[in-house]
């Protein structure tokens, strides 16, 4: 499993290339240590039950983990999907974590999902990216009371 840890103030020094899949699309799920295991596990179950419909890489944006270490249980849950990990400090709002990921990881398109996101429909990612084009640069969906 790849692991990238941005240096404070110098994210350009950590530009991991896409993994062997060659995917240029990144699904980045925010995983806050303060939220515990359950939201991450619920997200992963929904991810497993609803194929994305398009090639992509899965990256866990691990925010606020002590000593910048992700527990083995999280690593094992991500491993079957080639999941990568980006360790982040637990400062600021979600958008700051998304910005750090976009500045650190080398992908053409990102799909950012917050800590409590659940995937409810097969082909979900293919449907979202199908709307991107010359005049559309951002597509989103939410059903969360927390967003």
């Amino acid at each position: 499993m790849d692991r990238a840890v941005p240096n404070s103030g110098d994210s350009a020094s950590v530009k991991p290339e896409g993994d062997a899949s060659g995917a240029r699309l990144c699904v980045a799920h925010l995983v806050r240590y303060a939220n515990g295991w359950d939201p991450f596990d619920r997200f992963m179950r929904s991810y497993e039950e609803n194929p994305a419909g398009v090639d992509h890489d899965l990256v866990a944006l691990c925010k606020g983990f002590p000593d910048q270490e992700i527990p083995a249980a999280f690593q094992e849950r991500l491993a079957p999907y080639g999941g990568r990990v980006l360790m982040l400090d637990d400062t600021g709002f979600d958008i700051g974590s998304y910005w750090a990921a976009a500045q650190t990881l080398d992908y053409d398109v990102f799909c950012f999902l917050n800590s409590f996101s659940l995937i409810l429909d097969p082909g979900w990612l293919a449907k979202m990216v199908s709307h991107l084009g010359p005049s559309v640069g951002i597509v989103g969906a939410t059903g969360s009371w927390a967003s």
Side-chain angles (χ1 to χ4, degrees), residues 18-43:
D19 76 17
S21 74
R24 301 307 311 145
L25 173 58
C26 175
V27 172
H29 175 59
L30 186 62
V31 182
R32 288 191 67 230
Y33 179 78
N35 294 338
W37 171 260
D38 288 342
F40 173 69
D41 187 52
R42 283 192 301 270
F43 169 78

Side-chain angles (χ1 to χ4, degrees), residues 27-131:
V27 172
H29 175 59
L30 186 62
V31 182
R32 288 191 67 230
Y33 179 78
N35 294 338
W37 171 260
D38 288 342
F40 173 69
D41 187 52
R42 283 192 301 270
F43 169 78
M44 290 303 298
R45 281 195 313 251
S46 74
Y47 181 83
E48 292 163 347
E49 294 168 1
N50 295 287
V54 64
D55 288 337
H56 65 282
D57 288 343
L58 176 63
V59 177
L61 306 179
C62 293
K63 188 174 180 182
F65 281 74
D67 302 318
Q68 298 285 301
E69 291 295 327
I70 185 168
F74 286 81
Q75 292 178 9
E76 290 167 10
R77 197 75 168 93
L78 288 166
Y81 308 99
R84 300 172 69 187
V85 172
L86 177 64
M87 303 301 290
L88 301 166
D89 292 330
D90 196 6
T91 56
F93 296 103
D94 293 1
I95 192 72
S97 299
Y98 303 152
W99 177 255
Q103 296 301 303
T104 304
L105 301 171
D106 187 22
Y107 290 93
D108 297 329
V109 176
F110 288 89
C111 175
F112 293 111
L113 301 170
N114 74 19
S115 300
F116 298 102
S117 294
L118 295 176
I119 299 164
L120 302 176
D121 191 53
W124 60 278
L125 189 56
K127 292 172 189 172
M128 290 183 75
V129 299
S130 72
H131 297 284

